[in-house]
Amino acid sequence: MTVETKPSSVSDPNQEAEPDQLSDDEGNKNPSAKKTSSCTGLKVFLAALSFSYFSKALSGTIMKSSITQIERRFGLTSSTAGFVDGSFEMGNLLVIAFVSYFGAKLHRPRVIAVGCFTMALGCFLSAMPHFFMGYYKYETTSHAAASANLTSSINPCSPHQDVNGTVLEVSQSGCEKEPSSYMWIYILLGNMLRGIGETPITPLGISYLDDFAREENVPVYVACLHTIAMMGPMFGFLLGSLCAKLYVDIGFVDPGSITITPQDSRWVGAWWLGFLIGGATSFLSAIPFCFLPRSLEKPEEARKDKTSHGLLESTGAVRNKLSPGKTKPRKWSLMLKDFCNSLKKVLGNRMYFTFLCCSLLQFSGFIGFLTYKPKYMEQQYGQSTSKSNFLIGMTSLPPVGLGIFLGGLIMKKYKMGIIGATKFSFIMSFLSYAISLLHFFVGCDNYVVAGMTVSYEGNPLPYHNNSLFSACNSHCQCASNTWDPVCGANGITYVSACLAGCTTSTGHGKNTVFHNCRCLEIKSSWSGNTSATLGQCPKSDDCSLKFIYYTVIQVIGGFCYALGATPSYMLIFRCVQPEFKALAVGLYTLVMRMLAGIPAPVYFGAAIDRTCLKWGSSSCGKHGACRLYDSNAHRYVFLGLGAILRGPSYLVGIFFYTLIKKNFQNKNSRPLENGQEDAAMNKEDNCKIKERLPGPSAAENESSI
């Protein structure tokens, strides 16, 4: 694991050198055939790799867009759902070192094919619980009304009608199938498998391109890969939006019997359909790699001094990879000693360690925000899951992709050195942070729910000081643990028709209307009818306007953040010695995934759970997913946690800038000119930096999924 070992064998940049030499000897007899074969094979590989990049981004986004649906279907808390989401990083970390080291010694296209097949298997495994759990039974007190004919009428408040018995019956039937409540573990394992399968695609794919493509074409190929990869999240959120519109048991349940709509907090869309489509896409992406050769003919102008390390470093793909050009095997003890010494030197670099701490704080807030962004849009602004996913795909991601591209162009045009890149990325990130603070001022008020957020008279209630029972429903036998909301004609939502004091009903299914609701008469300012309809009352028109402001803030903030992403990513390479660049990138990726990618969704979810006002009831008396959040508390906790994490990172960033300025500006007693850091930065290094410009979007692309 000697990252610092020099690639001494200049004529042997990878393990396929010997087959290449044989091909060259044969190719000399027919140069035109050699050129055509090499060009065709490389284009096929590039097309296959582009499709695999798209498929892995698509699958990752499907998981993000389905997290709320999974939470409701399996009755999970947000923290548990966050743990399921973080299992992808766990699977990736399990094999990342193994694949990086041993993958280059094997048939790389076939290893990538195995990875794609594994991703497909993970997606299919994630969808499997849907086919073994039976139909989704949401909590409701109106089963009788749904199954009755049009002329029948039920009394939700009648003492002769055992509403609690209906709930108990559902609960007991759930207890008989109690193992199904743990089916979410299959989603966790499937997501982990998907993380394992994705591991070889970037390091082995980029190294294969780098070894057999012309040197001047490689940056263009990498830019194409990342451009296509950015389409994955966009299509993923649009697919998630479509699936969220469809009922989870579509095709197997009578639509007329469903009493909830996509805006309801009990609604579960066809989350499993997205995983099946993602699995099929990953399976198809694996097939071309099965027929590609282990090596291709090299270009006529041999790149004797080129290895695959340079480009791999720029995409963050090298993780403790040995140079295969060594002729003398080294003992494991010496390799381990060298690795420990290199690790000590990298972590002892104050600039790198400071940058690592700054990035960790940034990414922790960033990943937590991305994971629960659809949930925030649903709870804060009353949007459906389908609309939330659609808006993320259409409004948030395009500005990010444009910002990453323009950031690279700006860095290249103005020939930014390390000091300029540090200053530019710091300003853009801080500007994005300042803009994001405006979210605190465009939030909506709580849903007006009797006994939860307001009294039955319509007066506001203190936080968590609620009482569902009142004199108006004291004559009814109402279940307090059931969430089956109705919207009164007075604009107040009641937890159930029974708790609203309703005595009669007409219609069936979604069209059920309850009448003679006594609790509506309590509000002194109300003199209208006393009827109620199924579902929560919508939020005010003022909230719709605030949602537009929220979207605009998101677009501008995301664009500013993405502008500084490329220069920021380049700092990893520039603040360490050249021989430690690969180790620095590998360590950076490891820390971001282990300390941000895995725990951030969990503690963000735990904080969100604290703002829940009404938990759903699941089988065996356990509470399920949250049905109603305190909007104000949710806003301050969700946005505040991200702001608290990102805020101190700018203090660390200022310290990082002073270190950079101290180490580079007065180096060798001469100032910076035209982006040159110091005398040690030669022309070849600058060329490599330019080559890397298309690559840094990988980190941002990966985070946005």
Side-chain angles (χ1 to χ4, degrees):
M1 302 176 70
T2 53
V3 178
E4 75 281 8
T5 305
K6 296 180 180 180
S8 56
S9 179
V10 294
S11 62
D12 186 18
N14 55 44
Q15 69 278 3
E16 280 78 48
E18 293 180 5
D20 290 341
Q21 291 172 0
L22 294 175
S23 301
D24 289 342
D25 293 338
E26 296 174 0
N28 289 334
K29 300 176 182 178
N30 193 348
S32 60
K34 171 188 169 184
K35 182 176 180 180
T36 303
S37 175
S38 176
C39 182
T40 303
L42 193 63
K43 287 182 178 179
V44 171
F45 181 83
L46 179 62
L49 189 62
S50 299
F51 189 50
S52 69
Y53 263 61
F54 172 82
S55 66
K56 73 184 181 75
L58 177 71
S59 302
T61 311
I62 288 171
M63 182 67 200
K64 292 288 186 187
S65 64
S66 303
I67 196 70
T68 304
Q69 310 290 314
I70 292 170
E71 182 179 327
R72 294 173 182 173
R73 181 65 180 93
F74 297 91
L76 305 178
T77 62
S78 295
S79 56
T80 305
F83 177 70
V84 173
D85 182 64
S87 61
F88 171 84
E89 308 290 352
M90 301 176 196
N92 202 281
L93 291 174
L94 283 176
V95 297
I96 203 168
F98 178 83
V99 169
S100 295
Y101 178 68
F102 292 102
K105 299 179 178 296
L106 304 174
H107 194 301
R108 284 179 285 183
R110 290 182 183 173
V111 174
I112 296 175
V114 171
C116 293
F117 282 129
T118 305
M119 281 200 304
L121 179 62
C123 289
F124 293 141
L125 184 62
S126 296
M128 188 183 70
H130 169 74
F131 302 98
F132 294 97
M133 287 185 66
Y135 298 148
Y136 172 53
K137 295 180 180 179
Y138 51 89
E139 52 184 318
T140 179
T141 58
S142 56
H143 286 295
S147 58
N149 57 46
L150 292 174
T151 60
S152 65
S153 175
I154 65 167
N155 182 359
C157 187
S158 173
H160 304 290
Q161 224 169 354
D162 192 359
V163 178
N164 289 303
T166 304
V167 177
L168 181 62
E169 181 183 349
V170 175
S171 178
Q172 288 177 344
S173 65
C175 284
E176 293 173 1
K177 300 180 180 180
E178 187 176 3
S180 66
S181 62
Y182 296 99
M183 281 287 185
W184 60 269
I185 295 177
Y186 286 99
I187 301 180
L188 184 144
L189 295 176
N191 204 33
M192 189 177 293
L193 262 182
R194 196 172 57 80
I196 292 173
E198 185 181 316
T199 307
I201 295 177
T202 296
L204 302 188
I206 295 295
S207 66
Y208 194 89
L209 273 181
D210 197 42
D211 288 339
F212 301 113
R214 295 178 184 274
E215 186 174 2
E216 63 272 16
N217 292 338
V218 175
V220 179
Y221 293 157
V222 175
C224 291
L225 286 175
H226 293 145
T227 301
I228 294 173
M230 280 300 296
M231 297 172 62
M234 188 181 301
F235 279 93
F237 276 112
L238 293 179
L239 177 61
S241 173
L242 175 63
C243 293
K245 279 185 180 179
L246 307 175
Y247 187 65
V248 60
D249 295 316
I250 183 174
F252 298 95
V253 175
D254 178 18
S257 66
I258 302 172
T259 60
I260 57 177
T261 63
Q263 284 74 28
D264 198 292
S265 60
R266 295 166 294 171
W267 176 271
V268 176
W271 59 272
W272 51 273
L273 184 59
F275 284 105
L276 291 181
I277 295 174
T281 305
S282 298
F283 184 87
L284 291 175
S285 69
I287 296 175
F289 291 106
C290 298
F291 303 99
L292 288 168
R294 177 167 181 161
S295 61
L296 298 171
E297 294 86 354
K298 291 197 174 185
E300 295 177 2
E301 53 272 14
R303 296 165 292 156
K304 296 182 179 180
D305 59 340
K306 190 176 188 302
T307 67
S308 58
H309 285 279
L311 193 65
L312 280 168
E313 291 164 2
S314 68
T315 57
V318 170
R319 297 176 180 93
N320 305 334
K321 181 180 176 183
L322 274 173
S323 172
K326 300 189 303 292
T327 55
K328 289 185 178 181
R330 300 181 61 185
K331 294 182 179 179
W332 282 100
S333 58
L334 293 176
M335 294 168 63
L336 182 61
K337 183 179 179 181
D338 289 343
F339 174 75
C340 292
N341 290 334
S342 300
L343 188 63
K344 184 178 179 181
K345 290 179 180 179
V346 170
L347 292 178
N349 184 324
R350 290 195 301 168
M351 291 183 293
Y352 176 80
F353 185 77
T354 305
F355 181 77
L356 195 66
C357 294
C358 181
S359 299
L360 180 60
L361 291 171
Q362 285 276 336
F363 273 88
S364 294
F366 188 63
I367 292 172
F369 182 81
L370 278 178
T371 303
Y372 296 104
K373 184 178 179 180
K375 176 190 282 288
Y376 180 77
M377 295 168 68
E378 295 168 36
Q379 294 296 328
Q380 190 67 212
Y381 301 102
Q383 304 297 322
S384 66
T385 304
S386 174
K387 188 174 181 180
S388 298
N389 287 330
F390 178 81
L391 289 174
I392 292 174
M394 293 303 295
T395 63
S396 296
L397 294 179
V400 170
L402 180 62
I404 292 173
F405 178 74
L406 291 180
L409 286 182
I410 291 172
M411 188 176 181
K412 185 175 183 180
K413 181 177 180 180
Y414 293 99
K415 301 178 181 178
M416 288 186 185
I418 187 168
I419 295 180
T422 304
K423 189 185 300 183
F424 181 74
S425 76
F426 180 86
I427 292 174
M428 289 296 102
S429 180
F430 186 77
L431 181 61
S432 170
Y433 177 70
I435 293 173
S436 69
L437 295 179
L438 296 176
H439 285 143
F440 286 99
F441 305 101
V442 293
C444 296
D445 294 329
N446 282 322
Y447 279 105
V448 182
V449 182
M452 302 293 294
T453 61
V454 297
S455 65
Y456 280 84
E457 291 78 16
N459 301 319
L461 285 177
Y463 181 56
H464 274 301
N465 184 18
N466 49 60
S467 177
L468 293 176
F469 297 101
S470 176
C472 64
N473 56 36
S474 59
H475 64 289
C476 301
Q477 294 182 351
C478 301
S480 61
N481 63 338
T482 303
W483 176 258
D484 192 14
V486 294
C487 177
N490 59 356
I492 296 179
T493 299
Y494 298 87
V495 173
S496 68
C498 181
L499 289 170
C502 304
T503 56
T504 60
S505 69
T506 57
H508 78 294
K510 296 185 183 72
N511 299 319
T512 302
V513 179
F514 300 93
H515 303 283
N516 301 324
C517 304
R518 294 179 57 183
C519 292
L520 273 71
E521 301 172 354
I522 294 181
K523 190 174 180 181
S524 58
S525 61
W526 180 251
S527 58
N529 66 57
T530 56
S531 63
T533 56
L534 283 174
Q536 289 177 252
C537 296
K539 294 206 171 186
S540 63
D541 294 336
D542 180 58
C543 186
S544 300
L545 183 62
K546 288 182 177 180
F547 180 65
I548 296 176
Y549 295 151
Y550 166 84
T551 304
V552 172
I553 293 171
Q554 276 290 290
V555 170
I556 298 174
F559 177 75
C560 292
Y561 187 87
L563 267 180
T566 299
S568 176
Y569 191 78
M570 295 307 302
L571 295 176
I572 306 174
F573 311 107
R574 310 295 290 275
C575 63
V576 295
Q577 298 176 9
E579 62 268 25
F580 297 135
K581 288 180 181 179
L583 179 59
V585 172
L587 185 62
Y588 178 88
T589 306
L590 178 69
V591 171
M592 292 304 110
R593 292 192 169 185
M594 184 174 290
L595 300 182
I598 296 175
V602 177
Y603 58 72
F604 262 82
I608 292 172
D609 287 335
R610 302 278 292 181
T611 67
C612 183
L613 292 176
K614 178 63 178 175
W615 290 97
S617 59
S618 63
S619 61
C620 306
K622 298 178 181 179
H623 71 69
C626 185
R627 303 304 186 194
L628 179 69
Y629 291 90
D630 185 299
S631 295
N632 293 322
H634 189 191
R635 179 170 71 255
Y636 292 128
V637 166
F638 178 64
L639 299 177
L641 183 55
I644 290 172
L645 286 170
R646 290 183 63 188
S649 70
Y650 296 105
L651 299 177
V652 181
I654 293 173
F655 180 64
F656 173 73
Y657 178 71
T658 58
L659 289 176
I660 290 291
K661 198 170 182 181
K662 178 181 177 182
N663 280 271
F664 287 95
Q665 188 166 25
N666 296 321
K667 200 80 171 178
N668 296 333
S669 301
R670 67 184 187 88
L672 290 172
E673 290 182 7
N674 299 325
Q676 301 292 329
E677 285 86 351
D678 53 68
M681 181 61 68
N682 55 34
K683 184 177 180 180
E684 181 181 349
D685 290 333
N686 286 331
C687 292
K688 290 182 179 179
I689 292 167
K690 291 180 181 179
E691 287 178 4
R692 295 189 189 109
L693 287 177
S697 61
E700 187 67 28
N701 179 32
E702 186 174 301
S703 298
S704 67
I705 298 173

